[in-house]
Amino acid sequence: MGRPMRMRRQATLASLAAELGVSRTTVSNAYNRPDQLSPELRRRVLETARRLGYPGPDPVARSLRTRKAGAVGLLLTENLSYAFRDPAAIGVLEGLALACEDAAVGLHLVPASPGRDDVAAVHRAGVDGFVVYSVPDDDPHLAAVLARPVPTVIIDQPRVEGVDRVGPDDAAAITQLAEHVARLGHRKIGVLCMRLARDRNDGFVSLDRQREAHFHVQRTRLDALAKAFGNAGVDWAAVPVVERFDHTVDEGASAARQLLDAYPQVTALICTSDILALGALAEASRRGLRVPADLTVTGFDGITEADRAGLTTVHQPVLEKGKAAGRLLLASADHVAARVITLDTELRIRNTSGPPRTMEEHWFGP
């Protein structure tokens, strides 16, 4: 029987310091505060560490000592894959990551699947602060974040008194879009919106559900649309609104199908996101409808795919949104009142909006 293999004992900070004949602080500085050492001494410490198999300071011990995790937590109440699939979320994530890079801190994703009330992931997250990305006002994960004694910045929603927030002026932005559609002459409109609450509803939305929506961005956009079209003489109670829980192009297409099957007289579909609008365009193509001759379609976000499709939409700077949230969170200055950064938006009128068809065009058209 062969002799058992002996594992070399892993070097420690103390044994490395003894090998080099320097203090433990000097070894620690080589990793954490390199500006405190000469380039030659730091090179000698790191080379000796590699030779002896020293892996570097224990990050857990360091965080216990400094009471700093060196990371920002991003709370996303979606499945983790959403952050890498949804174009607007990707832009926000990239912007936040850039802010973290500039501050030399890490980014910890804290996903919380919709419909789940388990907040353990929030409690376990070793972070120095949270960025909360677009959650409903009754979300238990948000409550868990706000219960922790760390700074928090909210992107988009909800509005919480005393908490920093970054986002556009949704009411003003979508009012500008609604006025454009109304000036074109549309009065028979339909709306496709993102989820309004934590419970699933894939269908038509009552006025009560619109007014009581827990996602305040969607509630704000619907309320602004109601006021803008009300000023144009449209009875909002008669406007069909279809909600989709999942935010995908396919769901946007199915929402448009559901609405147009029930209300074929609609001449304009206003969508509260570009993703839903892209689905609506696909459904219009499937039905043989000409856009915008037979159907005007508008979106909100200004994602790259919307640019390619020539979609009339409201553009918001999603990359800057993430950056601004990260910078706000990482800013060291003390403040008493909540800080709010309102991002500029731009109405981009493109190929998918035009005057409504006349009765004659509708009757004799293809």
Side-chain angles (χ1 to χ4, degrees):
M1 183 181 294
R3 290 176 11 185
M5 181 184 297
R6 282 193 175 181
M7 300 297 292
R8 186 173 69 174
R9 196 175 200 180
Q10 189 178 64
T12 64
L13 185 145
S15 64
L16 179 58
E19 174 76 14
L20 289 162
V22 299
S23 70
R24 285 187 284 186
T25 299
T26 296
V27 173
S28 177
N29 284 343
Y31 290 90
N32 301 317
R33 302 177 67 191
D35 58 306
Q36 300 296 306
L37 306 183
S38 68
E40 174 58 28
L41 178 54
R42 183 169 187 260
R43 181 190 62 77
R44 189 158 65 91
V45 171
L46 296 179
E47 285 185 355
T48 304
R50 281 193 292 270
R51 178 169 56 81
L52 297 181
Y54 175 62
D58 182 353
V60 175
R62 182 176 183 275
S63 65
L64 289 173
R65 184 174 65 256
T66 63
R67 302 188 68 81
K68 290 287 184 181
V72 167
L74 172 62
L75 177 68
L76 179 74
T77 54
E78 297 285 349
N79 295 316
L80 184 58
S81 59
Y82 183 84
F84 303 96
R85 185 182 69 247
D86 182 84
I90 290 171
V92 169
L93 182 61
E94 181 182 359
L96 179 56
L98 289 170
C100 290
E101 287 176 10
D102 289 343
V105 300
L107 180 58
H108 180 87
L109 296 184
V110 187
S113 298
R116 295 184 182 176
D117 292 341
D118 182 6
V119 298
V122 172
H123 295 312
R124 287 195 305 263
V127 297
D128 299 316
F130 282 96
V131 171
V132 176
Y133 180 38
S134 197
V135 305
D137 53 27
D138 62 343
D139 193 279
H141 303 89
L142 171 65
V145 164
L146 297 178
R148 290 190 55 172
V150 294
T152 299
V153 174
I154 292 173
I155 295 178
D156 288 340
Q157 59 189 338
R159 292 174 180 163
V160 178
E161 188 173 351
V163 179
D164 297 340
R165 188 174 61 83
V166 175
D169 184 336
D170 288 284
I174 207 161
T175 295
Q176 192 178 13
L177 184 145
E179 289 173 347
H180 162 67
V181 174
R183 279 195 301 270
L184 288 172
H186 292 278
R187 297 298 182 269
K188 297 174 182 178
I189 63 167
V191 178
L192 308 184
C193 72
M194 297 168 64
R195 75 173 71 135
L196 300 178
R198 295 173 63 215
D199 63 301
R200 178 177 286 274
N201 174 56
D202 291 317
F204 288 97
V205 182
S206 67
L207 288 176
D208 284 344
R209 185 173 176 85
Q210 293 178 45
R211 293 165 181 154
E212 297 167 4
H214 288 283
F215 283 90
H216 100 253
V217 165
Q218 297 299 302
R219 185 175 71 239
T220 298
R221 292 179 188 176
L222 290 173
D223 182 60
L225 288 172
K227 290 176 180 175
F229 281 105
N231 292 337
V234 175
D235 177 11
W236 189 254
V239 173
V241 178
V242 172
E243 175 185 358
R244 280 298 182 266
F245 189 83
D246 294 323
H247 190 225
T248 66
V249 172
D250 287 345
E251 288 299 313
S254 73
R257 187 177 313 124
Q258 184 176 15
L259 192 149
L260 292 173
D261 282 348
Y263 296 88
Q265 71 274 20
V266 161
T267 62
L269 281 180
I270 297 178
C271 308
T272 63
S273 80
D274 286 348
I275 292 292
L276 295 177
L278 292 172
L281 289 176
E283 175 59 17
S285 176
R286 189 190 72 82
R287 300 170 87 96
L289 293 175
R290 301 164 300 170
V291 175
D294 295 323
L295 184 69
T296 281
V297 178
T298 67
F300 196 113
D301 281 332
I303 62 176
T304 302
E305 291 82 351
D307 292 343
R308 294 196 191 106
L311 180 69
T312 293
T313 187
V314 172
H315 176 269
Q316 59 170 323
V318 291
L319 184 73
E320 183 56 35
K321 187 187 291 187
K323 277 187 184 178
R327 290 169 181 160
L328 200 59
L329 184 72
L330 295 165
S332 58
D334 292 333
H335 61 96
V336 177
R339 299 166 294 178
V340 176
I341 296 178
T342 302
L343 301 171
D344 292 334
T345 58
E346 177 190 358
L347 175 61
R348 295 184 175 177
I349 300 172
R350 296 201 182 93
N351 306 330
T352 65
S353 59
R357 60 184 180 253
T358 64
M359 289 301 294
E360 288 77 15
E361 287 174 331
H362 179 54
W363 181 259
F364 294 108

